Structure formats: C-alpha cells, structure tokens
Amino acid sequence: MLKITDLHASVDGTEILKGLNLEIRAGEVHAIMGPNGSGKSTLAQVLAGRDSYEVTSGSVEYKGLDLLALAPEARAREGVFLAFQYPVEIPGVNNVYMLKAALNAMRKHRDEPELDSYAFMKLIREKMKLMQMDASFLNRGVNEGFSGGEKKRNEILQMAVLEPTLALLDETDSGLDIDALKVVAEGVNSLRSPERAIVMVTHYQRLLDYIVPDQVHVLSGGRIVKSGDRTLALELEERGYDWLAEAVGA
Amino acid sequence: MNAALESLRGQFARRGGALPGNASIGEKRKRAFEEFIARGLPTTAEEDWKYTSLAALEEQSLALPEAVDVATAMAAVERYAVEGLDGPRLVFVNGELIPPACQLDGIEGLEMTSLGYALEQGPGAETLDQVVDIDRYRFARLNTALFIDGAHLRVARDTVIEKPVYLLFITLGDDTPRLIQPRVLIEAERGAKMTVIEHFCGEGPAALVNTVTEVLAQPASELTHYRIQEQADTHTHIASLNARVARDARVVCHNIDFGGALVRNDVHARLVESGAHVELNGLYFTTGRGHVDNHTRIDHLAAHTTSREDYRGVLDGRSRAVFNGRVLVAEDAQKIEAHQSNNNLLLSRDCEIDTKPELEIYADDVICSHGATVGQLDETALFYLRSRGLDAETARGLLTFAFAEAVIMRLGIEALQSRLSRTVIGRLPDSDRLREFT
C-alpha cells in the first residue's frame, strides 16, 4: 500500500529525513519509534502533505499513486489520515459540521452520495459512544477549549468517522492518562482491518501494550536503523536508544 | 476657511438658537461652537490624526438634518433593527426620535428618555460635557454645539436591568450631506448593572455621523456597552465613547466596525478609583476603500485598577485600518494591571494597517503587556483542515471566520452574535459553503 524509497526531507535548509525506506502492506500496523528529534513527526507530516517540509529527493508510492505530487486535501480524499500530535483549536467552526464536510468531501471523491444531516448524526453518535465522548462535543468549536486528552480522543473520533486507508498517528499517547489511553487504543483497534494500514509514531512503548504492532522500526538520524517485531519495542524500553545509535554509527 | 466649516457656521447661525436646552446649555453650545471653529478640523500633521485624513470631509458642505416622514422611518427600522432584542428601545432616524418605533414600557429603576426631552425637563442632563475631555476630542465639541437629540439613561442604585437597552441610530443619506449627531448620556448609580447597545446603520449618499457617549460608572456598578457600526460605505462616522469608572466599577465596551467610508472611533476610559476595571473588545472588518481608525486611551489614575484590551481586524480590498492603543499609568497608581493586544489579518495585498501601542507609565509596581500582529493565517491550522479533506479556499475562509468569531463570541448577546457572524461569513469568499459550518 505504501512504499517509501530513499526519502530525503528538510525544513529551513536542515535535512531531517536522510534516505528513509519503508514498506507497509494493507492490514498491517507499524510502529515507528525513536529518540526526540529523530524525524518521526517529520515523516508523519511529510506523508500527510505539510508544505513547510521540503522533500528534496526520494519517492512515496501510495495505492499506486505518486503521493508527494498530491495536495494535502487530495491525499485525505485518497484515504490518508494524520492524527495530530497537537490538534488545532478553531473556535466558531463547529466540530460536527467540519467533520461532516470532511466526510462528504471524501464520499464525493469516491462518487458516493453525500450523507445528509440525519444520517451523519446517526453515524457520529455511534462513534462518539465508542470514544466515550460527551454530547456537549456536538455544540463546540473544533477542539475549542478541549483538554489534551479530549483533543486526542477527537482525533481518533475523526479517524473512526472518516475510515481512512492509511492512518498516521503522531504521538497519540502523549498527554493521555491510562484510562484515556485505553479508550483511544480501543478506538484504534476497532479500525484494524485487512484493507487498512496504521502507522504509529511514538516515543514510548506504552501505547504498544494496547495497540500491538506487527512491526516496529527505529528511526534515528533521519533513517530507519532497525526493524523487528514488537519485542524490539520492549528492548528499546529497557535499553533506551543510545545502544542502537552507537551500533549503527548514526 | 474650508467648505465644511463654512457650512457649519451657517447652520449654527440659522438653527443654533432653536436647539434643545435652557440658557445655560445654549451658552455651552455657543462656546463649544466657537472653540470648534477656532481650532478647525484635525489634519494629518497632528500625531493623533497622522493616518486619517479628513481632506474629503473638508470639501463637504454639511447641513443639519430635516425631519424624515414616519412611514419612511418605520420602513428603515424594519430593515435595520436587530431581531430578537425585545427590551427597552429608542430609535432615531437622521438624529430624530421616532416615537412609534420606541419601547419605553416602564422598567423599575431605569430612567430612560430622549435627551431632548431630558433637556426640556431641566435637570437630567447634568452629565453633559462632564465626562468627555472636550479639549482632546474636538468633534465632541461640534456635537455639543449642534446635537439635536440622543438618549439619557440612568439606572438607580443597586438596580439590575436584565434586558439590554437598545439605541438604534439610522442614517438615511440624501443629496445634501447631513450632519447627524447623537448624544448619549449614561449613568449607572452605585451597585447598578445594565447593558446598552448603540447600533449605527444606514444607507444612501454621504453623511457625517458624529456621536458622543458619556458614561458615569459609579462605585460597584457594572456597565456593558456595545457600539455596532454598520453604516453605508459612503458615510463618515466619528465616535467618541468616554467613561469615568469609579471604585470597584466595571465597564466593558465592545466596538464593532463593519461599515463606513471613513470611521474614527475614540474610546477614553478613566479609571479614577481603586478597583475600577475596563475591558475593550474591538473588531473591524474593512473592505473596498474603507478606512477605520480606532484610537483608545485608558488612564489608570488610581492604584489597583485593571484593564484588558483586545482589538482584531480583518482587512480586504484596498482598505486601511489604524489602531492606536494608549495606556497611561499615573504616578502613584501602583499595583495596576493592563493588557493590550491588536491582531490583524490582511486578505489582500492592497490593504494597510498601522498599529501602535503607546504605554506611558509613571508608577513602578505595575504589570503591563502589549502585542500587535499583522499577518496571515496560521499555517498549522490551515494544514489541519486541508488534511481533513477540505480544499484550501474553504479552509482559509473558515480560519478567517474563526479569527473574527473569537471577538464576536465575547459579545454574550446571541441576537447580536448571529447577526454579526452572518455578516462576516457573507464577506468571505465561498460564503455559501462556509455557512454550513456554523
């Protein structure tokens, strides 16, 4: 589904990704771990189309498409979803209407009929129940006045409604207490399916106790320096990142 | 002498004697007029008017308004009145009270009359010229000299008036540029609480609206004041809001400017006793060749006084806006806190904003902050919306709306909020689509 080849990306002239290779098949869940500043979040943002990062070389093939040639909204309509590390507050723009517009933009792109308000409300209530979200959410602005945990839940709610093909979760566990983490993990797990790939970017392995990945990659110095199964995450938890960096000379 | 002053001199000679008020008011008017003429109109050579030129006004030959027939007036009220405000209401069309459009059902503790009536009755207008710094605001002098009517509001001690008092000023321009001069006097007695909305709108050819409001907030009173300006893009609008805030009193002012060709809006709040608090919220959305100049001045004249000020602007077309926020902290006014911010979004390359904070601090134990931004939309927020599949134009429109909405949401009166939100959306590209989001 996703094939990243020799990806180089920089911001303000500083190269962050330095020849990254990664292949992800439908149905898989991958975790990308690494120390702060290793380029994890950059990778997630570059895949979603943030234009403050400049891709200097390399390619990303997604469902046979040249992903890097698409605008962020076009990627979203093709099923790419980024759950933000720091979701943005947009007061005055209603949560529900934003999400309805997002879903209908995707349905339109897929030549499916747009959902009317009734059908959409039915859908969102069901998903809110899954995410244990309060009904007051319906009347609020996008992330407006939300606590850190509520924002993260809202990201996964959006994901549950939009049903992406490729979900990128950027530090989704940060700032969550254990109960909220369980709710978020349950939301993500409910979306695991043979047609969908999920990429989790995370500093800590805690999240992986609840969302068990098929593969774990370690990103360091802008490249993937080690890949393995989930025992690699446990090893990182125990030993930290330094031994790896030394081992690969990164 | 320019055409404007010449014409005003003629108007004063002809009609000055017949204006409301007793002999002492008449004397006051005469003095004010002479002083106004002697100083003339401000020019851009003066620091306070550096970015706002009145050259076009100088060329206008102004006349006091003629009476508008009631049917015309009532039709205009129908067009402009904010729906959903069902409290006490005074309506003026071209400066003249329109009794059938007013709602004056007695509310206990609220004295509410037209100013003309208050002046005829003798006492009741003692506050005239008592709050405004007439030397500083020379258009206030012109108002004093030639105002015809306005509102006189007083809330009795410890009385809470729940429903907002709605003052609607409609200007219908005609072939002769008219000088429309509302005058509003508000007094909240000790412990009283009230809300006043001054709403300016209108249509037609050029007119000059020159309005002055004087607010006396007595100890422990609370006044919320709205000035909503939606006049035609041919009109000149000059406003000054002057408040004297006493011990533990609280005055909150919302200033919204969505209309006018040339707008100058002065706010002067004097915190004269400890515990006094003032809050200024502003929003201007300028389009075409519109020009909106906000000058605010907050004087912290006593210790333990606080102020907060947040003005936001959205500029489009070839419009221009000015923000000058002055905060003065007098010697011995210790333990005060003053925060000010002015943020602007420019939607076109041809608009211009001049923003300037001015802090003048003579005390040493104070907390003051100020900040001004002129900019583009938040790039992260834009990316957020686009990453949800919304196209770039819709995302930009939504964020512009949200920027203005942050001020609108502080208004606290839903009837006003929904009206102003609709106006903002209507001015953005792709507005039909944006309406679905609110």
Side-chain angles (χ1 to χ4, degrees):
Chain A
M1 173 184 291
L2 183 74
K3 190 174 181 202
I4 303 173
T5 310
D6 193 31
L7 185 65
H8 291 254
S10 53
V11 61
D12 299 329
T14 306
E15 189 166 59
I16 312 271
L17 299 181
K18 303 170 182 172
L20 188 141
N21 295 291
L22 183 63
E23 195 167 349
I24 296 172
R25 282 178 292 274
E28 292 178 347
V29 175
H30 289 230
I32 295 180
M33 304 185 69
N36 289 328
S38 59
K40 303 187 301 281
S41 282
T42 301
L43 174 63
Q45 304 232 359
V46 165
L47 293 177
R50 177 116 194 211
D51 56 11
S52 46
Y53 296 95
E54 194 194 349
V55 175
T56 47
S57 66
S59 66
V60 179
E61 192 189 308
Y62 165 69
K63 294 196 308 191
L65 298 164
D66 175 4
L67 188 70
L68 299 176
L70 301 178
E73 57 269 35
R75 297 183 199 197
R77 290 167 195 174
E78 290 292 348
V80 176
F81 179 88
L82 170 63
F84 278 52
Q85 182 178 6
Y86 302 110
V88 180
E89 290 194 31
I90 309 174
V93 175
N94 184 285
N95 261 311
V96 173
Y97 299 153
M98 194 275 277
L99 197 45
K100 178 167 168 255
L103 179 63
N104 279 335
M106 284 164 211
R107 293 180 67 94
K108 202 171 154 193
H109 179 73
R110 295 194 298 254
D111 285 327
E112 293 168 12
E114 295 190 19
L115 287 190
D116 61 20
S117 294
Y118 178 78
F120 182 76
M121 287 313 287
K122 200 169 161 236
L123 172 70
I124 197 166
R125 283 186 195 282
E126 183 190 308
K127 303 293 186 186
M128 279 169 67
K129 207 165 145 192
L130 170 73
M131 296 309 296
Q132 301 183 15
M133 292 179 79
D134 191 82
S136 69
F137 161 87
L138 295 170
N139 303 319
R140 290 162 75 178
V142 175
N143 291 316
E144 188 189 347
F146 285 24
S147 69
E150 281 178 315
K151 285 180 184 167
K152 295 298 175 74
R153 261 189 234 198
N154 192 19
E155 292 297 282
I156 305 306
L157 173 79
Q158 292 180 10
M159 174 177 156
V161 169
L162 299 177
E163 300 188 317
T165 318
L166 173 64
L168 308 163
L169 312 184
D170 189 2
E171 304 281 3
T172 292
D173 53 331
S174 69
L176 291 184
D177 63 32
I178 193 70
D179 293 329
L181 180 66
K182 282 180 183 167
V183 172
V184 163
E186 203 177 314
V188 174
N189 284 328
S190 74
L191 287 160
R192 290 182 85 142
S193 92
E195 295 82 40
R196 183 172 292 131
I198 298 174
V199 179
M200 293 179 285
V201 164
T202 179
H203 187 77
Y204 301 104
Q205 88 88 34
R206 185 178 74 147
L207 179 68
L208 311 186
D209 287 339
Y210 299 94
I211 309 171
V212 179
D214 299 305
Q215 282 194 52
V216 175
H217 310 277
V218 180
L219 187 56
S220 180
R223 279 198 303 270
I224 287 178
V225 294
K226 195 168 174 63
S227 298
D229 61 16
R230 81 156 298 228
T231 55
L232 175 58
L234 297 169
E235 195 177 357
L236 289 168
E237 171 96 333
E238 201 166 305
R239 298 177 63 185
Y241 290 105
D242 292 347
W243 63 279
L244 259 178
E246 280 158 27
V248 299
Chain B
M1 187 172 288
N2 58 50
L5 293 187
E6 199 72 63
S7 63
L8 290 171
R9 204 201 269 272
Q11 291 291 308
F12 192 77
R14 201 155 352 120
R15 294 180 62 177
L19 296 171
N22 60 18
S24 95
I25 299 276
E27 207 35 55
K28 199 179 254 188
R29 287 182 183 276
K30 193 157 173 280
R31 249 192 341 268
F33 189 73
E34 280 163 6
E35 282 161 10
F36 174 75
I37 293 289
R39 284 188 67 187
L41 294 176
T43 71
T44 51
E46 296 168 48
E47 188 59 33
D48 254 9
W49 289 84
K50 191 171 168 185
Y51 301 107
T52 299
S53 167
L54 297 177
L57 183 65
E58 284 177 3
E59 301 311 314
Q60 286 183 10
S61 191
L62 297 157
L64 292 184
E66 304 291 341
V68 174
D69 71 82
V70 172
T72 306
M74 292 303 282
V77 172
E78 192 68 30
R79 283 199 296 283
Y80 290 112
V82 176
E83 273 172 51
L85 293 175
D86 59 350
R89 176 167 99 170
L90 290 178
V91 177
F92 301 84
V93 176
N94 284 5
E96 191 187 350
L97 187 75
I98 308 297
C102 296
Q103 272 162 33
L104 281 159
D105 300 339
I107 291 178
E108 205 173 327
L110 174 65
E111 202 181 298
M112 169 168 162
T113 63
S114 81
L115 185 58
Y117 178 82
L119 288 171
E120 275 167 30
Q121 299 304 303
E126 313 89 73
T127 43
L128 185 70
D129 276 359
Q130 294 306 297
V131 180
V132 61
D133 180 352
I134 203 105
D135 286 324
R136 183 182 304 281
Y137 302 107
R138 69 184 86 168
F139 275 97
R141 275 215 177 98
L142 178 62
N143 181 291
T144 298
L146 279 165
F147 78 84
I148 294 172
D149 210 342
H152 180 252
L153 307 171
R154 193 197 326 252
V155 196
R157 193 174 170 138
D158 296 325
T159 306
V160 176
I161 307 297
E162 296 286 354
K163 288 189 176 172
V165 173
Y166 182 29
L167 307 176
L168 175 59
F169 301 98
I170 300 172
T171 298
L172 305 176
D174 62 29
D175 296 339
T176 308
R178 302 292 175 181
L179 171 66
I180 316 286
Q181 302 205 103
R183 183 66 171 245
V184 177
L185 307 179
I186 302 169
E187 182 175 1
E189 292 186 353
R190 179 182 287 270
K193 191 174 169 184
M194 84 181 305
T195 298
V196 179
I197 300 166
E198 292 187 43
H199 183 201
F200 298 90
C201 32
E203 62 201 36
L208 168 61
V209 172
N210 174 36
T211 176
V212 175
T213 301
E214 294 183 84
V215 172
L216 259 179
Q218 303 291 15
S221 64
E222 245 177 78
L223 176 81
T224 307
H225 182 270
Y226 297 80
R227 178 183 149 280
I228 313 285
Q229 189 274 114
E230 305 177 299
Q231 285 183 228
D233 61 8
T234 45
H235 293 177
T236 302
H237 178 98
I238 296 176
S240 89
L241 170 65
N242 311 273
R244 182 185 186 279
V245 191
R247 178 176 301 270
D248 297 328
R250 185 185 161 83
V251 172
V252 178
C253 306
H254 302 277
N255 268 295
I256 309 289
D257 281 288
F258 283 178
L262 189 154
V263 177
R264 167 66 180 234
N265 180 29
D266 278 286
V267 177
H268 185 196
R270 285 186 299 151
L271 307 173
V272 297
E273 288 171 355
S274 138
H277 173 76
V278 69
E279 244 172 84
L280 308 181
N281 278 316
L283 177 65
Y284 41 93
F285 194 143
T286 56
T287 56
R289 291 183 165 272
H291 180 114
V292 173
D293 177 346
N294 274 291
H295 265 65
T296 66
R297 185 184 172 97
I298 299 171
D299 296 343
H300 289 264
L301 301 173
H304 299 281
T305 51
T306 48
S307 67
R308 201 187 60 74
E309 179 171 15
D310 179 11
Y311 274 64
R312 291 188 177 207
V314 181
L315 286 75
D316 201 357
R318 305 178 63 83
S319 68
R320 187 165 180 191
V322 180
F323 175 82
N324 188 293
R326 183 165 195 165
V327 175
L328 176 127
V329 182
E331 210 179 328
D332 301 331
Q334 305 294 1
K335 307 277 183 200
I336 73 102
E337 200 169 332
H339 299 286
Q340 179 190 91
S341 73
N342 173 234
N343 300 293
N344 298 279
L345 277 184
L346 309 185
L347 302 186
S348 92
R349 288 173 184 279
D350 300 319
C351 45
E352 180 179 331
I353 168 82
D354 297 284
T355 174
K356 184 173 159 203
E358 273 186 78
L359 303 185
E360 218 177 301
I361 301 169
Y362 300 102
D364 47 27
D365 188 6
V366 302
I367 299 171
C368 287
S369 71
H370 66 85
T373 62
V374 177
Q376 316 291 325
L377 294 166
D378 178 46
E379 199 259 334
T380 307
L382 258 181
F383 175 57
Y384 186 72
L385 289 175
R386 293 179 74 189
S387 79
R388 297 301 180 255
L390 304 186
D391 60 75
E393 191 187 17
T394 304
R396 268 192 281 273
L398 281 176
L399 292 175
T400 308
F401 171 70
F403 174 81
E405 188 70 2
V407 176
I408 293 174
M409 282 192 307
R410 282 202 289 263
L411 299 185
I413 298 178
E414 215 186 312
L416 289 180
Q417 286 168 314
S418 56
R419 178 181 174 120
L420 297 174
S421 295
R422 279 200 305 275
T423 305
V424 171
I425 287 180
R427 289 184 175 188
L428 296 171
D430 208 8
S431 49
D432 286 340
R433 188 151 167 63
L434 299 183
R435 275 186 196 100
E436 295 169 15
F437 289 87
T438 58

